[in-house]
Amino acid sequence: MDRTVTRVIVLMSVVVMSGLEARPSDSAPDLTARWVSRVANGDGTFRETVFVLNQQGSTLSGSVVNPTSEQPIVEGVVDGATFSFASAPPENPRRTTYRGTLAGDDITITVVRPGRPDQTLTARRGPDSAGRLPERVPPPDLHVVPDNGLARTPPMGWNSWNHFRGQVDDATVRTIADAMVANGMRDAGYVYVNIDDTWELGRDTTGHITTNRKFPDMKALADYVHGKGLKLGIYSSPGPFTCAGYEGSYGHEADDARTYAAWGIDYLKYDWCGAARLYRDSEMRAVYQKMGDALRTTGRPIVFSLCQYGRQDVWKWGAEVGGNLWRTTGDISDTWESMSRIGFGQEQLAPYAKPGHWNDPDMLEIGNGGMTETEYRTHMSLWALLSAPLLAGNDLRDVKPEILSILTNRDAIAIDQDPLGRQGRRLRSDGDVEIWTKPLSGGGQAIGVFNRGAGPAQATIRCEEFQLCDADVRDVWGHAQPTRFTSYSASIPSHGVALLRITPSR
Ligand code: GLA
């Protein structure tokens, strides 16, 4: 055989052999790449998912990278131009499965999640940096951030998340502020107007945080809100991304704090989410301290709200990182199950609440439609007894009078805002009936008689068990004039409450 021909054959077989070893055949094209899917949020930002795929013959490994998580894949299989993988083994009830097809330069992936509609994403090969984390900045050494002197009583106001989610914008915030003035919410004490997640865009060339097109001018918005006698709150994360996948404060803490101060921001909710990709839970305290210091350095009074879902016993250190309030639970939803599980589950945390530093069992769902008015009265009563922040989470531009009267009940608010700042506790329970009490300034007490059961319950309390027999009782939801407190007996409806204020006689 001609030597040239031999050399070509040898060369060809080397190519084919190495192709067999390292590369899939033509019928199974190589999926090895960082595939980037970008879904427009409609405000100038995108939600990015990176599929990091590594194909070896007909098997696929890798991970799915979202702003707040990086999930290794399992069961990755390639079959010609189609492929599939999953986030967890079949026995995991939260397993997500992915089915994909390669077509030209794109892959199309259908994401199947339990209890959620299927989602189809298109992804393209991205740069090597796609989905990679910024370099980790070690958390600072611990110290105590001095008390900022704010929130001597639990903060009151409104927050956009529970009702509006990602649909909040400048016009909504302005009209909410208008409504809070017109409907008496402001005068009842609800002064913070808090923008939650999804206002962020990215960073300008000098690294300053920028707003997306829903919020064209944050300073002008703050001026507007201040002009109404209200205060403006904002939201961020210690991670590179917020929970909704927007720009976080990671690596820009001091600069962001200065920007908030320059805009005229009065309140920051700081939400862990994306920080979990860079820090362990045990580093939370130091990471929160960094923003506590940054806010303090601005010199502007900014309430600092920690949102890390009650992990790491935050109530034990929240005040020492400059926190004025700290979430004690995961997210509330507008159901009796969620609200009552959270609200009645706060008993152990009572010792940690004090003026300036509050347990936060999450924002109010009152008026969002998922509970009855009876249940919303229980929600308000429980939060008042817990000295919880009262952040309305409904659309205040369109609120039924019955709902407004729950939110603005002066006696319930006075219980929440009592200057003693002691959080209420469960005194006793008897089946579905629970008696909660909260000490008030002046020697009085607030008493909640709750019925968590499915049917009405008869309940009786007597003055002796509260050592308050020389006192008057006021039924907060009954609106009757105070009467002498000896005993109180009532049929409490299912999921209902009698909220009483006992005031010692002079
Ligand atoms: C988390 C918080 C919520 C809300 C969302 C916004 O889930 O707990 O209160 O801020 O993030 O993305």
Side-chain angles (χ1 to χ4, degrees):
M1 201 186 287
D2 177 288
R3 285 181 55 188
T4 328
V5 173
T6 316
R7 219 179 296 136
V8 169
I9 290 172
V10 170
L11 215 69
M12 276 172 63
S13 44
V14 168
V15 169
V16 171
M17 290 297 290
S18 59
L20 279 177
E21 273 164 30
R23 293 179 62 83
S25 69
D26 284 352
S27 59
D30 193 357
L31 288 163
T32 302
R34 302 178 82 83
W35 297 88
V36 181
S37 150
R38 301 182 93 209
V39 178
N41 288 318
D43 51 20
T45 64
F46 295 86
R47 182 165 178 94
E48 199 172 87
T49 306
V50 181
F51 299 96
V52 182
L53 301 184
N54 181 10
Q55 182 176 352
Q56 295 280 323
S58 60
T59 61
L60 209 50
S61 58
S63 58
V64 179
V65 184
N66 283 309
T68 56
S69 69
E70 178 160 3
Q71 183 85 52
I73 64 173
V74 297
E75 297 174 4
V77 179
V78 185
D79 181 8
T82 65
F83 58 94
S84 63
F85 53 88
S87 68
E91 59 273 18
N92 187 327
R94 296 177 63 189
R95 163 181 156 109
T96 301
T97 57
Y98 302 82
R99 284 192 312 269
T101 313
L102 175 68
D105 288 339
D106 294 339
I107 56 171
T108 306
I109 297 192
T110 301
V111 185
V112 182
R113 274 174 288 225
R116 307 251 301 261
D118 293 359
Q119 189 189 16
T120 299
L121 300 173
T122 302
R124 291 224 146 154
R125 285 186 179 84
D128 188 51
S129 59
R132 293 198 197 273
L133 284 170
E135 200 180 320
R136 189 183 127 101
V137 180
D141 291 341
L142 292 178
H143 62 251
V144 174
V145 179
D147 189 341
N148 62 13
L150 302 172
R152 296 296 103 182
T153 61
M156 290 178 66
W158 173 87
N159 173 292
S160 57
W161 187 253
N162 283 357
H163 181 82
F164 292 94
R165 295 288 199 259
Q167 303 304 312
V168 63
D169 60 11
D170 178 284
T172 306
V173 174
R174 285 174 193 247
T175 50
I176 290 281
D178 296 345
M180 289 172 78
V181 175
N183 66 17
M185 286 286 287
R186 179 196 63 186
D187 293 343
Y190 293 87
V191 293
Y192 288 98
V193 179
N194 292 349
I195 304 163
D196 207 278
D197 205 350
T198 79
W199 61 267
E200 312 87 340
L201 177 68
R203 300 208 170 259
D204 66 17
T205 48
T206 55
H208 300 323
I209 184 81
T210 53
T211 57
N212 65 47
R213 57 175 179 247
K214 291 187 300 178
F215 290 91
D217 187 341
M218 203 58 96
K219 168 98 174 68
L221 179 57
D223 290 345
Y224 184 86
V225 168
H226 292 154
K228 299 273 162 184
L230 295 161
K231 294 174 185 292
L232 189 65
I234 210 164
Y235 167 100
S236 190
S237 172
F241 296 103
T242 67
C243 296
Y246 285 65
E247 184 79 13
S249 291
Y250 180 76
H252 299 271
E253 295 82 358
D255 193 67
D256 285 1
R258 278 194 298 272
T259 302
Y260 305 151
W263 284 341
I265 298 296
D266 307 294
Y267 186 117
L268 173 67
K269 172 174 168 182
Y270 206 44
D271 195 349
W272 185 247
C273 265
R277 291 184 60 200
L278 283 151
Y279 294 113
R280 293 187 296 276
D281 274 17
S282 56
E283 294 169 317
M284 270 181 189
R285 176 173 171 178
V287 171
Y288 274 92
Q289 172 193 294
K290 198 168 190 180
M291 184 51 95
D293 278 334
L295 293 175
R296 189 177 160 75
T297 304
T298 68
R300 184 176 173 85
I302 300 176
V303 169
F304 189 27
S305 158
L306 277 48
C307 178
Q308 40 77 287
Y309 338 112
R311 288 178 5 204
Q312 293 289 303
D313 291 351
V314 60
W315 36 88
K316 294 183 180 162
W317 51 264
E320 290 169 25
V321 299
N324 297 109
L325 59 156
W326 45 81
R327 278 272 296 277
T328 58
T329 73
D331 289 11
I332 195 169
S333 61
D334 186 18
T335 63
W336 166 257
E337 191 284 321
S338 167
M339 183 280 288
S340 61
R341 177 173 37 81
I342 291 176
F344 291 111
Q346 302 295 302
E347 155 69 17
Q348 304 295 324
L349 306 184
Y352 301 98
K354 54 180 176 293
H357 312 284
W358 308 101
N359 290 310
D360 174 10
D362 209 355
M363 304 166 296
L364 299 171
E365 290 284 10
I366 295 168
N368 279 332
M371 288 182 255
T372 64
E373 280 165 31
T374 297
E375 291 167 339
Y376 285 141
R377 271 193 291 276
T378 294
H379 190 356
M380 184 76 185
S381 305
L382 201 41
W383 264 236
L385 286 161
L386 293 173
S387 307
L390 297 178
L391 294 166
N394 57 327
D395 185 352
L396 293 173
R397 302 166 306 182
D398 178 24
V399 49
K400 288 196 296 184
E402 302 77 30
I403 295 298
L404 196 58
S405 72
I406 296 173
L407 286 168
T408 57
N409 182 295
R410 305 268 157 164
D411 294 316
I413 291 172
I415 291 169
D416 180 78
Q417 296 287 301
D418 186 85
L420 197 57
R422 297 267 301 276
Q423 178 170 326
R425 306 197 70 148
R426 184 189 288 111
L427 180 70
R428 63 179 163 89
S429 54
D430 179 10
D432 291 324
V433 174
E434 295 195 10
I435 314 292
W436 286 65
T437 61
K438 170 177 171 164
L440 301 175
S441 53
Q445 281 186 43
I447 302 174
V449 183
F450 295 94
N451 173 12
R452 297 178 67 175
Q458 191 66 33
T460 302
I461 56 169
R462 295 179 207 291
C463 66
E464 291 82 8
E465 72 177 310
F466 306 93
Q467 283 125 42
L468 268 175
C469 285
D470 189 13
D472 291 332
V473 53
R474 181 175 178 82
D475 183 340
V476 168
W477 302 112
H479 301 294
Q481 285 306 307
T483 54
R484 192 105 192 116
F485 182 44
T486 50
S487 67
Y488 178 92
S489 197
S491 172
I492 313 291
S494 163
H495 298 178
V497 62
L499 181 62
L500 308 173
R501 186 186 179 111
I502 317 290
T503 309
S505 306
R506 284 169 193 278

